[in-house]
Amino acid sequence: MHSTTLIILAVIVFLIVYTAMKRRGGAGVRSIPASQLEEAMKSKNGKSFLDVREPGEYRGGHVAGMKNLPLSQLSSRLSEVPKDHEVYVMCRSGHRSMQAANILKKAGYVNVINVSGGISAWHGPIKK
């Protein structure tokens, strides 16, 4: 192969990988482990805490202080989330919360934090 062909192939591979990573999301979204959520919740001033699981999951057990705002309803209920707050987002495992974080970022929210591992990684008390 010629060096020009290798360069073109390298550029194509880079573009494919770059596009795939952009589609996965997470750009500009900070993540914290569930173990750091308790510390973040000690001071609630200027912060919002969202559990984006469905209502039945939330009723089955949630972290006290988390507002249930299901991912399926988030886009139509953005007015319930102050834009000037740090917004912490949690779900069962961290996948839906990352989707929610990306929705928030696209809607103009600046300080969005995903709780990686979600409630599955939470070791604190669970409220029912």
Side-chain angles (χ1 to χ4, degrees), residues 41-57:
M41 293 182 87
K42 286 182 180 176
S43 169
K44 294 187 181 194
N45 291 337
K47 298 177 185 175
S48 294
F49 299 93
L50 305 178
D51 185 323
V52 297
R53 297 176 299 150
E54 292 301 312
E57 295 174 279

Side-chain angles (χ1 to χ4, degrees), residues 53-110:
R53 297 176 299 150
E54 292 301 312
E57 295 174 279
Y58 182 82
R59 283 190 302 271
H62 61 275
V63 175
M66 299 292 284
K67 174 183 179 160
N68 186 219
L69 188 55
L71 176 62
S72 61
Q73 300 172 17
L74 181 61
S75 293
S76 63
R77 295 176 58 188
L78 287 173
S79 63
E80 297 177 35
V81 185
K83 275 197 172 176
D84 61 342
H85 280 194
E86 282 184 333
V87 183
Y88 291 79
V89 191
M90 177 184 244
C91 66
R92 182 183 54 81
S93 65
H95 181 72
R96 283 179 284 178
S97 58
M98 185 56 81
Q99 289 178 311
N102 285 323
I103 289 169
L104 291 164
K105 292 295 282 189
K106 286 179 183 173
Y109 290 78
V110 177

Side-chain angles (χ1 to χ4, degrees), residues 106-121:
K106 286 179 183 173
Y109 290 78
V110 177
N111 209 345
V112 182
I113 299 110
N114 178 52
V115 180
S116 60
I119 199 158
S120 296

